[in-house]
Every structure is written in C-alpha cells, then in structure tokens.
Amino acid sequence: MKLAFSTLGVPGLPLPEVLRLATAHGYHGVELRTHPEEPVHPGLGPDERADVAAEFKAAGIELLGLAGYARVAAPGADGPVIEEIRRLVDLAHDLGAGFVRVFPGADPEQSRQAADAIAARRLGTAAEYAADMGVRILLETHDSHRTAADAIRVLGLVGHRHVGSLWDVMHTWLGGEQPSESYAALAPYLGYVQVKDIASADDTTPLPLGTGVLPLAECVEVLSRHGWDGWLCWEYEKRWYEAVAPLAGLLDAGRDHLSRLLNESA
C-alpha cells in the first residue's frame, strides 16, 4: 500500500511547501482539499492548472485525489450539484488526479429511500462525464451515509465503475461497523482509504496515528489479508481543530506507525 496525507492537515499551505513535506517525510502522494480558501480549487485557470501538475511531477509525488464538497444526496435541484461535480472532475483531469471525493449530505428530514435515489441519480449522471475524463468519483462514508452499509445502498443503485467509495475509517467505526464488515461491503467499489485517530466517540479531536481508539491495525490487517494494494491517506483535520499540534511534526511518526502496521499484517 502507498501512503498519502490530506492538505486538510495543513490548511492554506502553499503547494511547494506541501510537496516538500511529502518528499521530506516519505509519503508517496497527497490528497488536495479543494476549496476556495486553498491554493488549488476549481477556479484556477489553464496555466495555473498546468503549473500545479508540473510541480507534482517535478517533486515525484502523486496527486491522489481532490477532496471536494459536493453533497450528492442533498435536497434541491440536481443541476447545481452535477455541475459542481463536473467542475471537480475537470480539475482532476487537468491536474492528473485519479479521484474526486464527494459527500452524501442528505437532510435528516429526507427519507432514506429518497436520499439514496437522489444521490444515485446524480452520481449516475456525473459518472458518464467522469468516464470520459478518466476520473473516478468516490462517495465518502460520511455524515448521512457514514457506514459502508449506507454507502452501498447508493453505489449499488448507480452500478457504474467510475463511481466508487472512499472509506473513512472513523465514520464507519462511529457507525458501529467492524473493519471486516466495512471492507466486505466496500471492496467492489473501493477507491482508497482515509485513516486518522481520535480519543473517543465523544471526542473526535484529531490525534497522532496510533494514539487513539480507532481500529487502524484491524483495518490494515483486513486490507492486507485480501491483497488490497491501494492508498492509505492520513486525514488530520487541523482545519477544523486549529489548536491541535501541527501536522508537519507528526508526519514521520505517522508514516512509521502505518509502515509498522503494514509489516505486521504482511
């Protein structure tokens, strides 16, 4: 498996500094949080996009994916949501990223069946465009669809190879699933895995990997046992928890912890 980190952990950091962190601390790739407050977002012009792609290539770091914020199950018209996904897909294509992340984002007042149908319809429409662009759309286990069982209700309705899953191990755990259950459900759709650590179900403040309660060893073990060889991406949510320690000082220990888990599960 290859290791990456998300720029959610280094909010606003210029791209050259992000790439220096990745190379200095032995990470193979980076997931870019794609938001207007970040250096890379869909508003970039063609020259800026070419520069970003060239910087990744020169650094020898892979751009794993773009973490967007489209909410595919949210109430309202389909058009704006589909357009938001298409803009993300365009950006991913231009930068050379293989994946774009979307959220479920259903409203609590929606019925489960209605939310699933809305999400599947929008993802199915966007999938054809993504296929043409060579990009895969990943529905993250998050918010209204935090478990793998939730996610596959939507993914099964879509039934398109350019729509898959992003396994956020915190959300499936908070939803009461064991890693073996989550993997079994998501395996046919799995794009990559987001790892992190927290103190408890009641305190999701980010911690250094291996110092909290999330079942990271079990996750890595089940992935290894099934021969999965994709990406583990550390999503350290410093953007939302500004008082936590800077990610830069944790990257070596995080890499070492994941490498140890990989060696132990081999």
Side-chain angles (χ1 to χ4, degrees):
M1 298 178 217
K2 295 181 285 187
L3 305 182
F5 64 86
S6 168
T7 56
L8 189 66
V10 286
L13 192 68
L15 184 59
E17 296 299 319
V18 171
L19 294 173
R20 269 195 281 273
L21 284 177
T23 54
H25 297 284
Y27 287 75
H28 310 101
V30 170
E31 176 197 74
L32 291 179
R33 176 180 182 246
T34 309
H35 188 278
E37 67 186 21
E38 297 292 344
V40 179
H41 53 79
L44 296 185
D47 291 344
E48 294 168 305
R49 296 178 183 214
D51 289 343
V52 170
E55 287 182 75
F56 270 92
K57 184 175 181 180
I61 298 296
E62 189 166 340
L63 174 47
L64 168 59
L66 304 181
Y69 288 89
R71 296 182 179 274
V72 296
D78 289 354
V81 179
I82 293 169
E83 178 58 26
E84 184 177 359
I85 298 171
R86 285 179 171 172
R87 292 183 72 215
L88 282 169
V89 167
D90 282 338
L91 181 62
H93 172 265
D94 292 346
L95 301 184
F99 303 109
V100 298
R101 185 278 305 279
V102 299
F103 282 150
D107 190 288
E109 295 184 1
Q110 289 171 282
S111 72
R112 189 173 81 171
Q113 293 79 7
D116 293 349
I118 291 168
R121 183 174 67 241
R122 292 167 176 169
L123 288 169
T125 300
E128 296 300 327
Y129 187 74
D132 290 341
M133 293 292 106
V135 175
R136 200 159 175 230
I137 303 165
L138 302 183
L139 178 67
E140 183 171 328
T141 53
H142 195 273
D143 58 79
S144 62
H145 291 64
R146 74 181 344 169
T147 66
D150 294 328
I152 63 168
R153 294 198 314 267
V154 174
L155 298 173
L157 289 172
V158 177
H160 196 292
R161 64 188 182 89
H162 279 268
V163 174
S165 66
L166 199 173
W167 180 12
D168 182 319
V169 302
M170 181 182 77
H171 284 282
T172 53
W173 180 79
L174 289 173
E177 283 184 343
Q178 295 298 314
S180 58
E181 296 172 318
S182 300
Y183 177 80
L186 296 177
Y189 310 99
L190 191 56
Y192 61 98
V193 180
Q194 281 184 346
V195 296
K196 59 188 71 172
D197 223 339
I198 57 174
S200 70
D202 298 317
D203 182 3
T204 56
T205 303
L207 295 176
L209 293 180
T211 65
V213 298
L214 292 184
L216 300 180
E218 292 89 337
C219 290
V220 171
E221 193 278 330
V222 73
L223 291 166
S224 296
R225 179 157 35 92
H226 289 90
W228 191 79
D229 61 354
W231 288 88
L232 301 177
C233 180
W234 184 6
E235 187 186 50
Y236 183 72
E237 298 184 339
K238 186 168 175 61
R239 174 63 184 84
W240 315 126
Y241 298 86
E242 295 180 4
V244 298
L247 178 63
L250 307 176
L251 284 170
D252 281 344
R255 179 205 63 222
D256 291 346
H257 182 68
L258 292 174
S259 296
R260 186 163 55 252
L261 295 182
L262 288 167
N263 287 334
E264 291 171 354
S265 66

